[in-house]
Amino acid sequence: MSADVVPRKTAETTATHPAGDSSARSRTIRVEARLRVGEELDLGAAGRSVGDQFVFSGNLVSTGGPEDRLVGRFGGFCVITDLERNAGQCSSTAVLPEGQITVQGEQAGIPVPGPVVNAITGGTGEFREARGQVTQRVSTPATWHLTFEVLDVRPQRTGDGRSPSEAPMPTTPPSFPGK
């Protein structure tokens, strides 16, 4: 998975969901995914074989302003299922301030996939009822551009009416009984 997250206030496209909760909306997020870890695991038979995996993680960066800005992280894995096409089933998660977005689908060209559109399968926080799709383009083997088209984004509110990403962070670390 790769990401090119557009800052929420400048790269968001919203629309009210026609049926149901009036607070639901659509959102487009464009980010650049910068791979930090990319490991191919040779499992089972020696050499490339069905069941081998590619495990990856990195940072999500907004490139839409005067300077790049870290907006989240991502991680996932692909399991090789088709040797002829060098394709596999992939699962990944984008972690953003508003919550997580999970993505799943087939990709060809592992570990450097070609352009692909995969399904958004769910999420947490504001993305807890998310669905939609993510388009991935590879710029370099370590830089991927992602466009998330997220449907059913539902803002969460704290007791004071702010979303969790707007709420102030605690100034003291949490305490754990017995520690």
Side-chain angles (χ1 to χ4, degrees), residues 35 40 48 54 86 107-115 136 138-144:
L35 199 64
E40 292 189 64
R48 191 77 159 187
F54 176 62
N86 193 27
Q107 294 186 5
I110 297 167
V112 182
Q136 174 181 303
V138 174
S139 183
T140 71
T143 307
W144 308 336

Side-chain angles (χ1 to χ4, degrees), residues 11 13-14 20 30 37 47-48 74 103 113 116-117 119 126 139 142 144 160 164 179:
T13 304
T14 61
R30 292 179 181 85
V37 174
R48 191 77 159 187
F74 71 101
V103 175
V116 67
V117 177
E126 290 188 14
S139 183
W144 308 336
D160 62 5
K179 298 214 177 210

